[in-house]
Amino acid sequence: MSTSPQSSPSGRSGGPSRPTRRGLLAAGGALGLGGLLAACGGSSDKADKASGAGADSGSWTFKDDRGETARTKKTPKKVVAFTGTAAALHDFGFECAGVFGPTTLKGGKPDPQAGDLDVGKVTVLGNAWGEFNVEKYAALGPDLLVTNMLQGSELWYVPDGSKKKILALAPSVGINVTKVSLTQVIGRYAELAGALGADLKAKKVTDAKARFEKASETLRKAARDKKGLKVLCASGSADLLYVSDPAVYADLSYFTSLGVEFVVPDKVTGGFFESLSWENAGKYAADVILLDNRTAALQPKDLEAKPTWAGLPAVKAGQITPWLSEPRYSYAGCAPLVESLAAAIEKAEKVS
């Protein structure tokens, strides 16, 4: 989950260039561990009971993060989800019938947000911001729609113009992914997957969970050993450098809880990031830069020609590491991200 102006819907349509939270996020396709993880790892029966579902109840319910309860006559089978959401559910053992959002790149390769989804086996209802084929969705006979929520109760990648028609076709579930910890979001997706019938005790799931826990402890140690090391989380565009507020993003909030010291911008606009002109790119001292690696954001090679970027201490030291700002919220999806940051911090030196 992240925001980045270069990906804003308004930017796509030639509208105003001022970034918004939604715009930033659209760019990428667009920010008690043991007890919580244990709670997330129960059986599907327990998850069913927690959500009000049961084999003999004759109905299925799940209360989402809007406080709304999705209800169906039986456990949903034909589930349609935002691509990253479907990828997370896949990691927990549940396969969605259709997806919407960044799914394939030019040439047909899976978009990073598709994770381990077999994109050739799901019905793609839209591959970009604003795309959602309502007719194709209706033809699927959907039982449930699931997506993230990044701004209040807005359902991510469900177009405003067709939202009423879409939501009339099946119940929906929204999972909040901002201003909460990463483990909380993963826990909610584990709960939903279990309620849909996934086996949360499957080896694939438990192995991924163990990898995530190990990576988290590695990051905790790295942060402790490199105390005082400052990490700046940013996204680059042609005109601006966007410095993200770590308190907003689930992954950054979790990394903070493990001891990572992030730069906190002091002039956040829209609740998610501070926009710096390239002349002011050096406003904040940083030893490591976590750089948004979505296709809509400028990458290190694209930024080399900008003198203020090239002059940043972290850049001169080669201490730049990719940031998947819209992760898939599963143990399998997030473990590599934790490992990557831990490795970057372990080898980084104080340069600011």
Side-chain angles (χ1 to χ4, degrees):
M1 75 171 182
S2 145
T3 50
S4 59
Q6 58 269 24
S7 57
S8 74
S10 60
R12 293 177 188 275
S13 61
S17 60
R18 181 175 180 81
T20 63
R21 163 59 177 167
R22 173 186 287 185
L24 216 54
L25 292 167
L31 163 313
L33 176 60
L36 177 57
L37 293 177
C40 299
S43 69
S44 60
D45 286 343
K46 290 181 180 178
D48 282 345
K49 291 176 182 177
S51 63
D56 300 322
S57 66
S59 65
W60 182 93
T61 63
F62 189 89
K63 188 174 183 179
D64 74 359
D65 293 341
R66 295 171 296 181
E68 298 182 10
T69 300
R71 301 178 185 276
T72 60
K73 291 183 179 180
K74 57 184 179 180
T75 303
K77 299 300 180 185
K78 290 186 178 180
V79 176
V80 173
F82 171 67
T83 303
T85 295
L89 291 173
H90 165 85
D91 291 339
F92 283 115
F94 181 83
E95 304 299 336
C96 291
V99 298
F100 55 94
T103 308
T104 56
L105 302 171
K106 290 181 180 179
K109 290 184 178 180
D111 186 277
Q113 291 193 67
D116 294 331
L117 282 178
D118 186 339
V119 297
K121 290 187 177 180
V122 292
T123 299
V124 180
L125 304 177
N127 198 51
W129 182 263
E131 294 180 0
F132 194 113
N133 191 316
V134 181
E135 291 73 22
K136 189 182 288 188
Y137 178 58
L140 275 175
D143 297 320
L144 185 72
L145 181 145
V146 187
T147 189
N148 296 329
M149 297 188 302
L150 297 90
Q151 292 180 292
S153 60
E154 290 185 17
L155 297 176
W156 189 230
Y157 264 79
V158 176
D160 288 339
S162 52
K163 179 172 64 175
K164 188 173 182 180
K165 291 181 180 179
I166 293 168
L167 298 183
L169 292 168
S172 61
V173 165
I175 301 296
N176 177 46
V177 299
T178 58
K179 298 183 180 180
V180 292
S181 179
L182 183 63
T183 48
Q184 181 175 330
V185 185
I186 293 175
R188 286 293 278 154
Y189 272 116
E191 181 184 354
L192 177 58
L196 290 169
D199 180 7
L200 300 183
K201 291 184 177 180
K203 188 175 187 300
K204 174 185 174 182
V205 178
T206 58
D207 283 354
K209 178 180 170 183
R211 180 182 174 185
F212 178 86
E213 290 177 324
K214 181 179 179 181
S216 296
E217 290 309 312
T218 300
L219 178 56
R220 189 193 302 276
K221 181 179 184 303
R224 183 173 62 245
D225 292 345
K226 295 294 179 72
K227 188 172 178 60
L229 199 76
K230 284 288 186 178
V231 179
L232 181 143
C233 210
S235 180
S237 73
D239 301 318
L240 298 168
L241 179 69
Y242 304 94
V243 179
S244 296
D245 181 355
V248 177
Y249 302 83
D251 56 344
L252 304 187
S253 296
Y254 180 59
F255 300 156
T256 299
S257 75
L258 295 177
V260 178
E261 297 180 40
F262 284 102
V263 168
V264 179
D266 56 24
K267 291 186 178 180
V268 174
T269 56
F272 296 90
F273 55 87
E274 178 175 356
S275 306
L276 299 177
S277 66
W278 281 109
E279 290 78 8
N280 296 312
K283 176 179 179 179
Y284 298 106
D287 306 295
V288 175
I289 296 176
L290 260 180
L291 188 67
D292 187 349
N293 70 347
R294 292 172 297 171
T295 54
L298 297 184
Q299 300 308 302
K301 62 180 176 56
D302 305 315
L303 297 170
E304 289 173 355
K306 295 186 179 296
T308 50
W309 169 263
L312 295 176
V315 175
K316 291 195 288 186
Q319 296 181 171
I320 306 169
T321 190
W323 177 36
L324 184 60
S325 55
E326 290 188 65
R328 68 186 201 266
Y329 296 100
S330 65
Y331 300 121
C334 292
L337 310 183
V338 183
E339 292 168 345
S340 176
L341 181 57
I345 290 177
E346 283 174 340
K347 67 181 181 182
E349 298 298 335
K350 186 77 177 170
V351 294
S352 64

